[in-house]
Amino acid sequence: MMPLIGNMSDKYGRKALLTVPLSLAIIPLAILAYSRTRNFFYAYFVVKTLIAMVCDGSVPCLALAYVADNVPEGRRASAFGILSGIASSAFVCGNLSTRFLSTASTFQVSASAAIASLVYMRVFLQDSIIDEQLTAPILTSTGKPKGKGKAYATNEIQSKNGKTFKSAPSMEDMLCLLKSSVTLSQAAVVAFFYSLAEVGLHASLMYYLKARFHFNKDQFADMMVISGIAGTISQVVLMPILAPALGEARLLAVGLFFTCVHVFLYSIAWTFWVPYVAAMFSVLFVFSQPCMRSIVSKQVGSCEQGKAQGCISGISSFANVISPLIFSPLTALFLSERAPFHFPGFSIMCVGFASMIAFIQSLMIRITPPIANEKVCGSNYVDA
């Protein structure tokens, strides 16, 4: 869904498309804010699943496209880093707040925050881009030129409807977009293996640490807070300094290298304090995601920012599905008595190998001159 939503935001504007996921996100939170009995939980689970199928991850994707619309290319990596840093700080604040709120209050505050974000977006956010070729994209105009009858109006509406259907990108269009730039294709490979490693680590780490060092939920939360604080400081303070000096490609490689180090350190952890040290490596590995997104944004014109970011988000989401299916059973196997050999952290090390593939691919990226403000693939946009 992400390429579709991103492409529609190129047509109808970021603000219009942001309204959809921000509005829908309120519903499941409001269900648990009202009651947490069995039936309400099942209702939450069903609604949350259906909404996630449509728009999970669309807010970060559209936010990146919005930033790309409004920030010059030279400052884009720093801006993406600051955006990620703000998201990390929100993660830290949300995590800390649960220490002081009751269960009922947690969901009520969460639902209130979701409503506040929607209201703020609708009131203060100025839309950045709408395809000028698609006039009256959602509401059809009632006016018509003089001398034209109903036949003209009908043909006009049919033409607009045809363009609307063509705004939905096909798999061929996605491949065309990726093939339009070698750099974009390489970034897509990095995105896949980086997401494969990231989600694989999250899917396995807590199970691994609980079985290996008897970690409890408070220790997990402490690790997430440490990682979030370190990542926030790094992205807000360090990245605006390092990105112009090193460039996105080098900083991406640096971030992925320390991702490998941090994952391998988890895999060979010999005592309970080692995971805390590994969590602090987020100071360096958080550069990966904003640098990768900045590289992608510079390979397409202004009219395809949503489509490009959505394509990368779709690839990452595909990796998110595959990763737990691979690494969760592997973790369970090597923590059981049926393990082929004694290495409890073997599955975590395999996650590190996936991140190493992303690192090696990042070393091959050569930033090509950005594409002018033209659409690289026109199969969706050719007038009938």
Side-chain angles (χ1 to χ4, degrees):
M1 292 298 295
M2 287 303 95
L4 172 60
I5 291 175
N7 196 41
M8 290 178 68
S9 74
D10 292 333
K11 286 284 184 179
Y12 305 132
R14 315 292 182 214
K15 188 171 182 177
L17 268 295
L18 271 171
T19 302
V20 177
L22 286 177
S23 301
L24 293 176
I26 298 171
I27 301 173
L29 296 173
I31 292 173
L32 290 184
Y34 181 77
S35 177
R36 285 152 308 285
T37 59
R38 181 187 297 271
N39 291 336
F40 278 92
F41 171 75
Y42 284 134
Y44 160 82
F45 188 79
V46 171
V47 172
K48 175 70 174 177
T49 302
L50 293 175
I51 291 175
M53 288 171 63
V54 177
C55 56
D56 186 46
S58 57
V59 173
C61 173
L62 295 176
L64 289 166
Y66 185 86
V67 170
D69 293 337
N70 292 279
V71 177
E73 289 182 357
R75 296 165 50 196
R76 201 169 287 171
S78 300
F80 282 4
I82 292 172
L83 181 66
S84 297
I86 292 171
S88 296
S89 67
F91 172 80
V92 172
C93 292
N95 202 322
L96 289 175
S97 67
T98 59
R99 293 288 187 96
F100 308 103
L101 296 173
S102 65
T103 302
S105 299
T106 297
F107 293 109
Q108 291 167 359
V109 170
S110 181
S112 300
I115 294 171
S117 66
L118 174 63
V119 172
Y120 179 87
M121 187 275 296
R122 293 301 305 175
V123 174
F124 295 105
L125 190 72
Q126 295 182 352
D127 214 342
S128 59
I129 181 170
I130 293 179
D131 192 338
E132 295 178 356
Q133 296 178 357
L134 186 64
T135 56
I138 297 177
L139 299 176
T140 56
S141 175
T142 56
K144 57 184 179 181
K146 292 181 180 180
K148 302 289 183 180
K150 293 183 180 180
Y152 175 86
T154 302
N155 291 336
E156 184 184 49
I157 292 173
Q158 288 176 349
S159 176
K160 290 176 183 176
N161 288 339
K163 288 183 180 180
T164 300
F165 285 118
K166 288 177 183 178
S167 68
S170 65
M171 183 61 68
E172 182 181 355
D173 299 323
M174 294 299 99
L175 294 175
C176 178
L177 179 66
L178 293 176
K179 290 178 180 178
S180 66
S181 165
V182 174
T183 303
L184 195 58
S185 301
Q186 292 172 327
V189 174
V190 171
F192 177 81
F193 283 101
Y194 176 79
S195 297
L196 193 72
E198 183 182 38
V199 176
L201 183 65
H202 292 166
S204 306
L205 186 61
M206 292 186 180
Y207 185 26
Y208 166 73
L209 292 178
K210 184 174 182 179
R212 189 94 167 86
F213 303 114
H214 308 290
F215 269 40
N216 58 35
K217 62 182 179 62
D218 291 335
Q219 290 172 300
F220 292 139
D222 291 339
M223 284 182 53
M224 288 189 287
V225 168
I226 291 170
S227 180
I229 292 174
T232 299
I233 295 172
S234 180
Q235 291 175 115
V236 173
V237 178
L238 294 181
M239 192 162 178
I241 299 173
L242 295 177
L246 299 178
E248 293 99 323
R250 289 181 181 176
L251 198 55
L252 172 62
V254 169
L256 290 172
F257 173 77
F258 283 100
T259 298
C260 299
V261 174
H262 138 267
V263 174
F264 286 134
L265 191 57
Y266 276 129
S267 71
I268 61 172
W270 58 90
T271 186
F272 73 94
W273 55 263
V274 175
Y276 291 98
V277 175
M280 295 183 67
F281 272 88
S282 62
V283 170
L284 296 169
F285 72 71
V286 291
F287 298 140
S288 304
Q289 189 70 245
C291 286
M292 180 177 60
R293 295 290 188 159
S294 178
I295 291 170
V296 169
S297 73
K298 293 181 180 181
Q299 299 306 306
V300 296
S302 61
C303 59
E304 288 189 317
Q305 289 295 331
K307 183 179 179 181
Q309 298 295 345
C311 185
I312 297 299
S313 295
I315 292 170
S316 298
S317 296
F318 181 64
N320 294 352
V321 174
I322 297 173
S323 186
L325 300 178
I326 299 172
F327 295 113
S328 293
L330 195 62
T331 304
L333 175 62
F334 277 88
L335 290 176
S336 70
E337 296 178 354
R338 299 178 291 104
F341 50 89
H342 181 71
F343 189 173
F346 180 75
S347 63
I348 308 295
M349 182 163 283
C350 291
V351 171
F353 290 140
S355 63
M356 185 178 290
I357 295 173
F359 167 65
I360 294 171
Q361 179 64 69
S362 72
L363 296 176
M364 302 177 186
I365 292 180
R366 298 292 180 267
I367 304 298
T368 57
I371 295 173
N373 292 338
E374 298 176 358
K375 294 168 182 172
V376 295
C377 295
S379 59
N380 278 342
Y381 311 97
V382 179
D383 291 338

